[in-house]
Amino acid sequence: MTTSTAATGSADDAEALVATTARAARQAQRVLAGLNRERKDAALHALADALTARTEAILAANAQDLERARESGMKPGLIDRLALSTDRIAAIADSLREIAALPDPVGEIVDGQTLPNGLRVRRVRVPLGVVGMIYEARPNVTVDVAALTLKSGNAVVLRGGSAAAATNAAIITVLRDALAAAGLPADLVTTVDPAGRAGATALMHARGLIDVLVPRGGAGLIRAVVEESSVPVIETGSGNCHVYVDAAADLAAAVDIIVNAKTQRVGVCNAAETLLVHRSAASAYLPAAADALWERGVTLHADAAARACLEEQAAAQGRAELLVEATEADWETEYGSLDLAVRVVDTIDDAIAHITAYSTGHTEAVLTQDVTAMNRFVAGVDSAAIMVNASTRFTDGGQLGLGAELGISTQKLHARGPMGLAALTTTKWVVEGEGHVRP
Amino acid sequence: MTTSTAATGSADDAEALVATTARAARQAQRVLAGLNRERKDAALHALADALTARTEAILAANAQDLERARESGMKPGLIDRLALSTDRIAAIADSLREIAALPDPVGEIVDGQTLPNGLRVRRVRVPLGVVGMIYEARPNVTVDVAALTLKSGNAVVLRGGSAAAATNAAIITVLRDALAAAGLPADLVTTVDPAGRAGATALMHARGLIDVLVPRGGAGLIRAVVEESSVPVIETGSGNCHVYVDAAADLAAAVDIIVNAKTQRVGVCNAAETLLVHRSAASAYLPAAADALWERGVTLHADAAARACLEEQAAAQGRAELLVEATEADWETEYGSLDLAVRVVDTIDDAIAHITAYSTGHTEAVLTQDVTAMNRFVAGVDSAAIMVNASTRFTDGGQLGLGAELGISTQKLHARGPMGLAALTTTKWVVEGEGHVRP
């Protein structure tokens, strides 16, 4: 494997490469499907050890990518996501060992019964087959996805961001060598990076060769894959998440929760972007919430009613610049920054209507001590996750007990919300009879 | 609603109609989501009663469609699928009552746990929202799908085959009137038929307005929807199903099963199309199987080894025309007729390899008394359903205990194999805390 950069080959060449690569992956997957969990977990440990052992080679390749990135003027945030270090590689290797420790989803009997005619029916979890992955320049995703697909019995065909081409090539070489040394087919992890952008397009049209395509990255990348792909896509979405503070909320807890939801980690999809407050709680809640949020540098984009509660306080504290007028655009924006839209609503139904109009369907929180209000919100909001008296930041595979996370789905088919290993499987019906025929 | 035939309006008009219709459907679905099972089941009974009560109006519209169909030279088989009668409408009404009797998938708690930090997590089944349906000229599908979506808490936007336009318009009017009379929103069942073919195309691009699109009909229709649609699709597939008779099969049972799988109902997707026979069973099994199949008029498309077992017998019985030479095309063909491809294989692995190469991934049967062979086949064949010592014809929602059936999925995402009401749902995470914030 060469450390080719973003070569833009012809579409025909890319199609040929994708077809050859996907067929090799399919062969490898069939071998893997016959192996039990012990073999898969041993391979994951071997991959972890190999990554640590070959840290120097990976860092050398990463240095090439970083140099190119700096020359091309890449933003510091993106450079940080591209950069590896000995510690980061060790952390990535540890995450492989954690995936090895998770239960194997393959073979789980999802349900089953014996029918009146004596047929014994069960549905068994099996791998999807060959997973395609299109992602941006984050080398940790290369390892992450290879490990998740291996654990769930799948092969993966990768197409990484071209800015990470040298790093990815080095990592993939390490992974393939380690697979072969562990007695598994190297083609469980393959790449179409040498075909450049045309490789991504060819992956999207490799229906029948690729069983499912998972885009991981920004909203633009995901939308492009969803629109273009004829291969089924598992969409990982963006999050315009809301926190609603009800008339009957525990206001002290509600301050802690909005601070956590907004500021505990900015720029992640489960951070809160809009705070909705019931009118009867506004004058008691908003000043306390604003104090705590302003202290952490959060700018509030507030509607007229919220500003009326806060303007005097902002002026008195010399924080007028942290209180600005909300516009329609604020309700739609996933800031990913220390900004929060704030709106006062007259009823819980108005809160639900606002969420219905503007949410991306990721996570919304209701803060209330009132059972009727809780039930109304849980039933009325159509999002992947509803938090009751808890921070939106809990929508995460690790936090919700799934172990490793493939991403957070905001689509409704196949997987919704945090996706664990089971999202990389399908089921097979197995029906056993004794010469049964249909009457 | 007019009984417009296949008007081919402009693409813009169609997009506008789909947008208006889908938004009205969304409003209606939100009302339905707040109703419990009793209300939904009562509505299903009301729909059934209304169809029976207004049989004459439906038959009058159906007569118009049938006249147009005969004038345009439609094939008798298709005319039969288009034709309604008092008995057929009564049967359709009965199927609604059966759907009412099924358990409600909505509200089912799929799984749940209390996490170490005290958060209580559950995943609850909820409706998908607005389902789009593109189907051919079979009026029973109109009712069927309206009932399945209603029971599962969804609204449906229909685009039926234009040859059934008058019948569908009449049926949809009856359904909408009955919904309104039952106090439910009529817009739970809507159609974009007035937009003609452009309506189908607009449905495929109504991402965000339509939550899932279900094509139902021939392979061509389904492929077109899958290729074109940017809305997520649930694909119902075609079936090139295999029966493998192992060296250790109960040969008498194996004769009954292949006769049932091939002839019990020809032209359905779970009928067998290829018979694979282990070489050591061929000379004992094939003559008996051929006798039974020939008696029912089945033409065997056999490879050289199978012909060697059967040629003498065919000649002696004057049935030489029912034994023809198999070509490569036979392995790939879903006959849907009294034809069966027959191949002798040396090993069970050769049988699995043949299936891997030619199957559409619907249903394959293994007939054996040998545990090792059974396990090898069940693990090695990657199809939606595996039958052990049973006919392929059992792959059916009704037969496998799902009650009503939306179709049989041969895709791997979301639903695989027979799809019941649960295939029309997704899940929502509900997480309850007491002021929990993420550390």
Side-chain angles (χ1 to χ4, degrees), chain A residues 8 20 28 30 50 60 64 78 110 128 160 197-198 213 236 242-243 251 256 260 270 278 310 363 421 433:
Chain A
T8 9
T20 311
R30 288 190 185 281
Q64 292 175 34
L78 294 179
V110 175
L128 286 169
R197 274 176 192 278
L213 202 54
T236 56
H242 297 73
V243 171
L251 298 186
D256 291 344
N260 186 261
N270 57 16
H278 192 282
L310 295 173
T363 300
L421 288 165

Side-chain angles (χ1 to χ4, degrees), chain A residues 349-363:
Chain A
D349 288 334
D350 288 349
I352 294 171
H354 178 100
I355 290 167
T356 301
Y358 297 106
S359 171
T360 55
H362 189 297
T363 300

Side-chain angles (χ1 to χ4, degrees), chain A residues 67-421:
Chain A
E67 194 185 330
R68 271 196 304 130
R70 286 192 198 98
E71 279 167 9
S72 70
M74 187 186 273
K75 285 184 195 164
L78 294 179
I79 287 189
D80 181 60
R81 301 203 310 189
L82 173 59
L84 292 177
S85 65
T86 303
D87 282 355
R88 283 190 177 181
I89 292 175
I92 292 171
D94 276 345
S95 74
L96 295 198
R97 296 181 186 105
E98 283 165 23
I99 291 171
L102 292 174
D104 190 341
V106 175
E108 184 198 342
I109 297 179
V110 175
D111 52 29
Q113 62 174 319
T114 299
L115 297 173
N117 62 4
L119 281 178
R120 296 176 300 285
V121 181
R122 62 184 191 273
R123 287 195 306 151
V124 183
R125 223 174 255 298
V126 296
L128 286 169
V130 179
V131 176
M133 184 85 194
I134 300 178
Y135 57 110
E136 292 176 340
R138 300 181 64 173
N140 64 307
V141 174
T142 310
V143 182
D144 226 33
V145 170
L148 291 168
T149 50
L150 173 60
K151 177 80 186 196
S152 54
N154 297 287
V156 67
V157 180
L158 298 160
R159 160 60 191 157
S162 49
T167 313
N168 282 340
I171 290 174
I172 291 168
T173 300
V174 171
L175 297 178
R176 289 171 57 92
D177 289 352
L179 284 168
L184 268 63
D187 287 336
L188 289 172
V189 180
T190 54
T191 177
V192 295
D193 281 352
R197 274 176 192 278
T201 309
L203 270 182
M204 295 181 213
H205 294 119
R207 198 173 172 86
L209 293 168
I210 302 285
D211 291 299
V212 58
L213 202 54
V214 185
R216 199 157 139 178
L221 169 70
I222 290 163
R223 198 178 320 115
V225 173
V226 164
E227 291 288 334
E228 170 94 17
S229 181
S230 59
V231 172
V233 172
I234 299 181
E235 185 182 348
T236 56
S238 48
N240 183 12
C241 302
H242 297 73
V243 171
Y244 166 62
V245 177
D246 186 50
D250 173 337
L251 298 186
V255 170
D256 291 344
I257 287 175
I258 190 61
V259 167
N260 186 261
K262 179 69 252 182
T263 70
Q264 194 254 353
R265 192 165 164 207
V266 175
V268 290
C269 61
N270 57 16
E273 308 293 0
T274 296
L275 170 65
L276 301 170
V277 183
H278 192 282
R279 188 169 298 279
S280 72
S283 62
Y285 175 67
L286 280 174
D291 251 353
L293 290 163
W294 283 337
E295 200 170 300
R296 287 162 181 85
V298 177
T299 300
L300 304 181
H301 303 250
D303 73 346
R307 286 199 314 280
C309 295
L310 295 173
E311 261 165 355
E312 213 166 298
Q313 177 181 352
Q317 300 181 354
R319 284 165 163 167
E321 82 286 359
L322 294 181
L323 180 65
V324 301
E325 194 175 334
T327 65
E328 178 72 14
D330 284 299
W331 313 134
E332 293 166 352
T333 301
E334 183 179 359
Y335 298 110
S337 59
L338 286 172
D339 292 87
L340 181 69
V342 183
R343 185 174 200 171
V344 173
V345 294
D346 288 330
T347 65
I348 189 170
D349 288 334
D350 288 349
I352 294 171
H354 178 100
I355 290 167
T356 301
Y358 297 106
S359 171
T360 55
H362 189 297
T363 300
E364 331 297 342
V366 56
L367 312 186
T368 187
Q369 298 301 311
D370 181 82
V371 170
T372 303
M374 170 179 78
N375 291 342
R376 197 171 186 90
F377 191 94
V378 169
V381 172
D382 185 24
S383 291
I386 312 292
M387 296 289 155
V388 180
N389 297 324
S391 170
T392 55
R393 291 276 295 118
F394 285 108
T395 301
D396 171 279
Q399 294 294 320
L400 294 182
L402 293 181
E405 178 184 282
L406 180 66
I408 294 174
S409 163
T410 51
Q411 71 180 29
K412 290 183 175 176
L413 286 196
H414 187 67
R416 196 178 190 206
M419 294 186 288
L421 288 165

Side-chain angles (χ1 to χ4, degrees), chain B residues 338-398:
Chain B
L338 287 171
D339 291 86
L340 182 69
V342 184
R343 185 174 201 172
V344 173
V345 293
D346 289 329
T347 65
I348 190 170
D349 288 334
D350 288 349
I352 294 170
H354 178 100
I355 290 167
T356 301
Y358 298 106
S359 171
T360 55
H362 189 296
T363 300
E364 332 295 342
V366 56
L367 313 185
T368 188
Q369 298 300 311
D370 182 83
V371 170
T372 303
M374 171 180 77
N375 290 342
R376 198 171 187 90
F377 191 93
V378 168
V381 172
D382 184 25
S383 291
I386 312 290
M387 298 288 155
V388 179
N389 297 322
S391 171
T392 55
R393 292 277 293 118
F394 284 107
T395 302
D396 171 278

